[in-house]
Amino acid sequence: MSLSQSINTLKNVRAIVNGNIWDFASMKFTPFDPVNDRERCQTLVSQYSKKLCKVAYFTTHTCRQEDIECSLPMETILQVFTAEEWEQKLKATKKELHRNILTDKLVDEIMARWKIQSDYPKRKQGETIGEVETEERMRTWEQFTRRDPEMMRWLVAPLAESIDYDEILRAETPEMATLHEWVQACLVAAAEKAFCLQRDMQGLASAKRGGGHQSAYALNRTWEDLPNKEPWKSRLLGIMVPINSNFGGGKRTSMTIIPTTLDDGDFPTSYIPRKTSGGGKKRPNPSEKRQKTEEELKEESHRRKLRRTGGVTASNIFFPE
């Protein structure tokens, strides 16, 4: 594989640098001292591993130590976790990413956007779904994806702080072109499976999605199997996912209104995606705010500056192979 030298991957990342590890919460390096501060080191390692797992997850749809070993060795992990504890941590990260992508993004945002279109696939009650119907729906999902390509970015939005999706989108090398096709294939396959499992349906009496927990489990299994099936198993072999130069800097996708190109007659519609952060927090009244000290203001200013520069930069964590 021949990637441009300007593209960094997991092979270029080192979690521990000169005895220090990046603290994503405070946006600065901090000593990695598992002997005297094991609990804090557990938190730091967990934070870092989640950022790394998001990179590997893009092509594997799972979270395994072997995929991040080059950046965060098991030898380091075992200084703060037992093997069993770490296995559970990775499983929890995988479960979270499955939910964020397959439920929050795919079902609640992407398919909800497509569902308002007149050519969205219809369900025929009491009829067995045959190969012809499946092929027709697959063509529909492919058409939706081509006509509404921004949905591919939405699908992988939970990974945005770690992967360089813009590099993938440019498709300037055969490897990046393959990764771009991979996102398309994932969206089409996941939409079809979610439709068959009725994950895009909600009951009138409740907000529960169709199929319940059993359908969610089935969708997860199909999602995990995708990278292991041909032709993708062979096509993805050896391809490394590009990492953001501001790796872990908290990058998010835009949540502004995006006019859809899926015309319903002569009236194109718009859809406002559900926000994934911020919640409904009540802002405090300015008069109720505690006056910050000069030191606190300086620290706040410093952290804002770090965020603007992307947090972890290439000079901090990226190393040539």
Side-chain angles (χ1 to χ4, degrees):
M1 182 184 69
S2 58
L3 281 175
S4 168
Q5 290 184 351
S6 62
I7 299 177
N8 289 296
T9 69
L10 284 179
K11 289 185 176 180
N12 303 113
V13 178
R14 303 290 182 272
I16 308 297
V17 182
N18 297 325
N20 295 313
I21 186 171
W22 183 259
D23 184 345
F24 289 94
S26 61
M27 306 292 284
K28 63 182 180 182
F29 279 101
T30 188
F32 182 71
D33 187 5
V35 175
N36 298 310
D37 200 351
R38 186 170 184 270
E39 186 173 342
R40 175 168 169 73
C41 286
Q42 285 181 328
T43 300
L44 295 172
V45 166
S46 295
Q47 289 175 349
Y48 213 117
S49 70
K50 185 175 291 188
K51 315 294 182 182
L52 296 172
C53 282
K54 287 182 177 183
V55 181
Y57 183 96
F58 184 85
T59 52
T60 65
H61 293 179
T62 190
C63 297
R64 302 173 300 206
Q65 175 59 32
E66 63 193 77
D67 296 323
I68 64 173
E69 177 71 18
C70 58
S71 304
L72 187 59
M74 192 64 181
E75 181 181 359
T76 300
I77 303 297
L78 292 178
Q79 294 182 53
V80 292
F81 290 104
T82 65
E84 293 75 18
E85 288 173 336
W86 189 241
E87 183 179 357
Q88 292 305 312
K89 285 282 183 182
L90 293 176
K91 286 182 178 179
T93 299
K94 181 181 71 171
K95 181 178 180 181
E96 179 183 343
L97 291 176
H98 280 358
R99 182 181 66 252
N100 291 344
I101 290 176
L102 298 175
T103 298
D104 297 344
K105 290 299 174 185
L106 175 67
V107 174
D108 291 350
E109 292 182 8
I110 297 172
M111 296 186 76
R113 174 183 171 92
W114 289 348
K115 199 172 184 180
I116 61 178
Q117 304 305 316
S118 60
D119 52 347
Y120 189 84
K122 303 295 189 296
R123 290 182 172 85
K124 299 178 181 179
Q125 296 294 333
E127 292 187 14
T128 303
I129 299 176
E131 291 185 10
V132 175
E133 290 81 5
T134 299
E135 291 176 0
E136 288 178 352
R137 280 199 312 275
M138 292 294 282
R139 284 194 292 270
T140 298
W141 307 130
E142 290 170 357
Q143 290 171 3
F144 280 3
T145 302
R146 285 195 299 269
R147 288 151 52 186
D148 204 13
E150 190 66 14
M151 295 305 96
M152 290 188 289
R153 186 187 294 273
W154 281 20
L155 183 71
V156 297
L159 314 177
E161 66 172 346
S162 296
I163 67 170
D164 190 347
Y165 185 74
D166 289 333
E167 183 68 39
I168 295 171
L169 187 61
R170 285 191 289 271
E172 294 177 341
T173 67
E175 292 84 4
M176 296 304 103
T178 296
L179 292 181
H180 186 247
E181 291 178 33
W182 167 242
V183 182
Q184 291 178 300
C186 287
L187 179 51
V188 169
E192 170 62 13
K193 188 63 177 181
F195 181 88
C196 291
L197 293 169
Q198 301 185 3
R199 292 291 290 166
D200 60 330
M201 296 181 65
Q202 291 186 343
L204 297 177
S206 68
K208 291 185 178 180
R209 300 171 188 84
H213 294 300
Q214 189 173 2
S215 69
Y217 178 84
L219 180 57
N220 289 348
R221 298 292 78 75
T222 298
W223 181 251
E224 291 179 22
D225 287 342
L226 278 177
N228 301 315
K229 291 185 175 181
E230 296 295 352
W232 291 108
K233 182 177 180 179
S234 298
R235 293 192 65 188
L236 293 172
L237 185 64
I239 296 182
M240 300 294 291
V241 179
I243 296 181
N244 276 327
S245 59
N246 62 339
F247 170 71
K251 181 178 180 181
R252 296 183 182 276
T253 53
S254 173
M255 300 306 290
T256 55
I257 297 176
I258 303 174
T260 179
T261 57
L262 302 178
D263 295 343
D264 188 359
D266 296 326
F267 302 95
T269 56
S270 296
Y271 175 74
I272 305 176
R274 178 178 57 80
K275 288 188 176 180
T276 56
S277 64
K281 293 181 180 179
K282 180 182 177 182
R283 295 188 176 184
N285 189 307
S287 62
E288 297 174 354
K289 289 184 177 180
R290 178 179 65 84
Q291 292 298 315
K292 296 180 180 178
T293 65
E294 184 176 350
E295 286 300 318
E296 288 175 326
L297 291 173
K298 285 182 179 180
E299 176 65 19
E300 190 175 88
S301 176
H302 178 63
R303 292 177 66 174
R304 280 199 302 268
K305 182 178 179 180
L306 284 172
R307 288 192 183 94
R308 286 197 298 271
T309 57
V312 180
T313 63
S315 61
N316 291 332
I317 66 165
F318 293 139
F319 299 87
E321 291 186 57

